[in-house]
Each structure stands twice: as C-alpha cells, then as structure tokens.
Amino acid sequence: MGVDVPNDKQIQYSLTYLYGVGLYSAREVCEKLNIDPTRAAKDLGEDELGQIAALLEQDYTVEGPLRRQVTQNISRLREVRAYRGMRHRVGLPVRGQRTKTNARTRKGPKKTVAGKKGVKDLR
C-alpha cells in the first residue's frame, strides 16, 4: 500500500497506521484471514502479508483512493455552495461547533486585535 507499518507492534495495531483502517477494521481483517491479531507484524510471512494487502485492496477503501474520495466530497460541497462547503473554504468548524470561544484548531493561533487605549470618560 506504500506505507511502512511498524514491525515490532501487534498486527492489529500495525494495520491502523494505514489511512482508513481503524482498530475495528484491523481486527476484522485478521479475523477474515484467520490471523492471530496479537502476533507481531514481523512474524508474518510474505504470503500472509500478500493476503492482507489483497483483502484491503478488494474490500476496503484505504490510503490514496480514500484520500481522493474525501477531497472530492469536500470539493463537491464547495462547488454547490453548500453551508458545509463554505465553512471548509473559510477554514471554520464544519459540524456546528461554537466559534466565539474554542475552535482554535480550525481558526489557527489567536489574532490579537488592538483595543481602545486610554479612553477617558468626558462628562
């Protein structure tokens, strides 16, 4: 798949280094192929690695195709001028989170705005 998975970890955790494969999917793959999920990745033979790669290619959308699919979905939302597409374009949270406070991950670091300095009350 073009991704180096760690050899010293169990195969169920090593497979999660692939984009689109979580722990549930990794265990599901091991179960389908009758591979013990607690075995270390370095203990797998070439034939078992080939079986895993073939199963992931065939039954799951992972890595490049999945990244392409996600990008196409976002660009489609932008093109049809959907609310979610506009939020993606502006770089704000897409799923209804508040932005008055928090949302720093999407908005980036704080941009401090200069306040009014030394305004005196003239009465």
Side-chain angles (χ1 to χ4, degrees), residues 8-80:
D8 54 330
K9 296 188 181 216
Q10 294 178 7
I11 188 66
Q12 62 183 343
Y13 299 117
S14 292
L15 286 176
T16 62
Y17 281 70
L18 294 169
Y19 183 78
V21 178
L23 190 56
Y24 182 84
S25 303
R27 288 179 178 160
E28 203 173 49
V29 167
C30 291
E31 188 179 315
K32 284 182 183 177
L33 298 175
N34 295 323
I35 297 173
D36 179 25
T38 59
R39 280 175 56 191
K42 61 185 171 193
D43 295 340
L44 294 176
E46 282 297 319
D47 58 327
E48 290 173 319
L49 290 174
Q51 287 177 335
I52 291 172
L55 183 68
L56 287 172
E57 277 289 318
Q58 183 181 6
D59 294 349
Y60 297 90
T61 308
V62 292
E63 281 303 324
L66 181 59
R67 289 181 201 269
R68 233 181 335 279
Q69 184 179 355
V70 169
T71 306
Q72 287 173 348
N73 290 341
I74 292 172
S75 64
R76 179 183 51 81
L77 288 170
R78 285 178 173 180
E79 286 169 13
V80 299

Side-chain angles (χ1 to χ4, degrees), residues 90-92 99-100 102-115:
V90 180
L92 291 171
T99 56
K100 183 174 180 178
N102 303 329
R104 289 271 60 113
T105 302
R106 285 291 293 186
K107 290 167 74 172
K110 271 190 193 176
K111 299 172 192 85
T112 306
V113 178

